Amino acid sequence: MRRTLLFAVVLAVIAGAGVLAWTGLRAAPPRIAVSSASVEFGPIGSRAERTVQVRNLGRAPLVITAISSSCGCTTARIGKQELAPGEGADLTITFDVKAHGPQTGPAEHAVYLRTNDPKRPEVEIEVRAVVLEESKR
């Protein structure tokens, strides 16, 4: 009887610790935040760069799993792929007029960040510019 009671108590403690650990992990996910949801280059005639701050506001490491863009004229790179809780990194967005081809006028594209944030697995940053004619570059 005493052994059975001791076994039941040990089993309950182990199960309770497991539930607490599992609940704690679920309650503390990473959370991405960006300083701006859009980047405005304005009128440009050459290659230009802008920086957006990416932060982890969660309590678990945030992993940037992929960065892509909607056009070859727009590229992005980040200083760190994994951000600890509270940490930030600069995302540098580049708009290359020459890669845009002969098109002039307004251009609207996007940069996409894919992350392990369960609520925002993909973040879109709008990129806008006005590509000037060759003679005005």
Side-chain angles (χ1 to χ4, degrees):
M1 174 78 167
R2 199 174 256 198
R3 272 184 150 165
T4 305
L5 182 59
L6 180 62
F7 178 73
V9 168
V10 169
L11 187 61
V13 168
I14 291 171
V19 167
L20 285 174
W22 182 76
T23 303
L25 288 175
R26 283 191 60 218
R31 188 163 60 102
I32 190 170
V34 293
S35 61
S36 180
S38 64
V39 173
E40 186 68 53
F41 282 92
I44 58 174
S46 62
R47 181 181 166 141
E49 291 185 350
R50 299 288 186 271
T51 302
V52 173
Q53 178 73 206
V54 177
R55 295 198 67 76
N56 179 6
L57 301 180
R59 295 189 339 205
L62 175 73
V63 179
I64 309 295
T65 57
I67 300 174
S68 61
S69 67
S70 62
C71 180
C73 65
T74 307
T75 58
R77 66 185 186 285
I78 194 162
K80 280 184 95 171
Q81 296 292 122
E82 186 170 325
L83 302 176
E87 187 175 23
D90 287 338
L91 174 72
T92 303
I93 299 172
T94 304
F95 190 98
D96 188 351
V97 172
K98 290 182 181 176
H100 202 263
Q103 295 176 313
T104 59
E108 293 185 16
H109 303 293
V111 169
Y112 305 99
L113 299 175
R114 286 178 198 72
T115 74
N116 65 333
D117 179 338
K119 291 193 177 185
R120 289 182 75 190
E122 183 173 86
V123 173
E124 178 180 335
I125 299 170
E126 296 176 0
V127 178
R128 290 185 291 275
V130 177
V131 179
L132 300 176
E133 293 178 32
E134 186 72 37
S135 62
K136 294 180 183 178
R137 289 185 194 170

